[in-house]
Amino acid sequence: KAGVTQTPRYLIKTRGQQVTLSCSPISGHRSVSWYQQTPGQGLQFLFEYFSETQRNKGNFPGRFSGRQFSNSRSEMNVSTLELGDSALYLCASKADSSYNEQFFGPGTRLTVL
Amino acid sequence: DAKTTQPTSMDCAEGRAANLPCNHSTISGNEYVYWYRQIHSQGPQYIIHGLKNNETNEMASLIITEDRKSSTLILPHATLRDTAVYYCIVSGNAGGTSYGKLTFGQGTILTVHP
């Protein structure tokens, strides 16, 4: 099975712009979670989508949003970018079970100038 | 989710067992212990999880104390490729506020030396 893929791998934006990141989960996985990783805050949960519905949300401002499509692919969007949004954005997918065994993609490295 | 405490860093000689401890004294009865690791510049990788019994897979063993307040991840024969940050995470079954959420702490930086 192919793993979780994320595009693009690297992105440079300027303050005030918006950005969209894409994640393709492992085939058959309907749950997709997004995380932000920074040196200061570590890995933080953004939100989780399942069957096109957001089921859980972390403590991030409304500038961070996401969606999921019928094929389980997911996108996250960050509007009005700030310097502090520079981070590695990771997505992870999991199978339908009660366990939290998540498979992570390689991440998108976002730099905001 | 219960909070976990791990040592900041540990060293291990190649070929020896690496024993990584984790304290989770506030764990509740339906919460699992998960271990993930993150090799530099890659996404985290699931290693193993358990509820109260010891668990073993092809990567590692997980020993959970009888009171469930602490656990140890054992890499039986560490190699240089096991150098990574290891995260111990306590998580309930993936329902309610746990849906798809892993709460990562700072983890343990394991360095395997030749």
Side-chain angles (χ1 to χ4, degrees):
Chain A
K1 267 188 183 177
V4 176
T5 58
Q6 293 187 245
T7 57
R9 293 293 310 281
Y10 302 91
L11 206 49
I12 299 175
K13 293 286 188 179
T14 56
R15 277 181 300 175
Q17 288 187 310
Q18 75 166 15
V19 67
T20 299
L21 312 181
S22 181
C23 172
S24 292
I26 290 172
S27 177
H29 288 187
R30 294 190 290 172
S31 167
V32 174
S33 297
W34 288 90
Y35 295 83
Q36 180 196 66
Q37 185 171 28
T38 60
Q41 299 298 317
L43 270 156
Q44 293 184 287
F45 171 77
L46 280 156
F47 31 66
E48 187 251 9
Y49 284 86
F50 180 85
S51 289
E52 303 179 66
T53 301
Q54 186 183 87
R55 284 197 305 189
N56 202 1
K57 189 176 188 304
N59 191 25
F60 278 81
R63 299 186 298 107
F64 292 82
S65 62
R67 59 177 176 168
Q68 188 179 34
F69 302 94
S70 58
N71 62 357
S72 295
R73 190 177 70 84
S74 177
E75 290 180 346
M76 69 162 281
N77 183 276
V78 188
S79 62
T80 320
L81 283 166
E82 301 176 0
L83 296 179
D85 297 332
S86 294
L88 180 66
Y89 289 89
L90 293 153
C91 82
S93 71
K94 67 180 286 295
D96 295 356
S97 81
S98 61
Y99 300 122
N100 227 337
E101 180 183 347
Q102 298 186 18
F103 295 85
F104 285 79
T108 294
R109 173 74 61 185
L110 172 65
T111 302
V112 182
L113 302 175
Chain B
D1 297 333
K3 182 177 169 57
T4 62
T5 304
Q6 299 178 252
T8 303
S9 63
M10 294 183 66
D11 290 334
C12 177
E14 189 176 22
R16 306 298 292 268
N19 297 284
L20 292 91
C22 179
N23 287 323
H24 31 78
S25 58
T26 61
I27 191 170
S28 60
N30 65 347
E31 289 183 314
Y32 288 73
V33 179
Y34 289 81
W35 283 83
Y36 282 76
R37 72 180 181 183
Q38 186 174 25
I39 296 170
H40 184 61
S41 298
Q42 298 182 20
Q45 177 190 22
Y46 165 83
I47 301 172
I48 198 167
H49 76 276
L51 182 63
K52 55 183 178 181
N53 297 319
N54 298 339
E55 302 287 345
T56 297
N57 63 20
E58 64 278 5
M59 287 184 68
S61 294
L62 174 60
I63 309 297
I64 302 174
T65 58
E66 192 168 343
D67 63 8
R68 303 211 320 124
K69 293 185 177 181
S70 66
S71 60
T72 301
L73 178 75
I74 302 172
L75 307 178
H77 305 287
T79 70
L80 299 179
R81 288 179 296 178
D82 291 322
T83 292
V85 181
Y86 286 77
Y87 297 98
C88 170
I89 299 167
V90 170
S91 175
N93 281 348
T97 57
S98 294
Y99 277 128
K101 177 182 178 182
L102 291 167
T103 301
F104 289 84
Q106 295 305 306
T108 296
I109 301 170
L110 175 68
T111 304
V112 181
H113 297 284

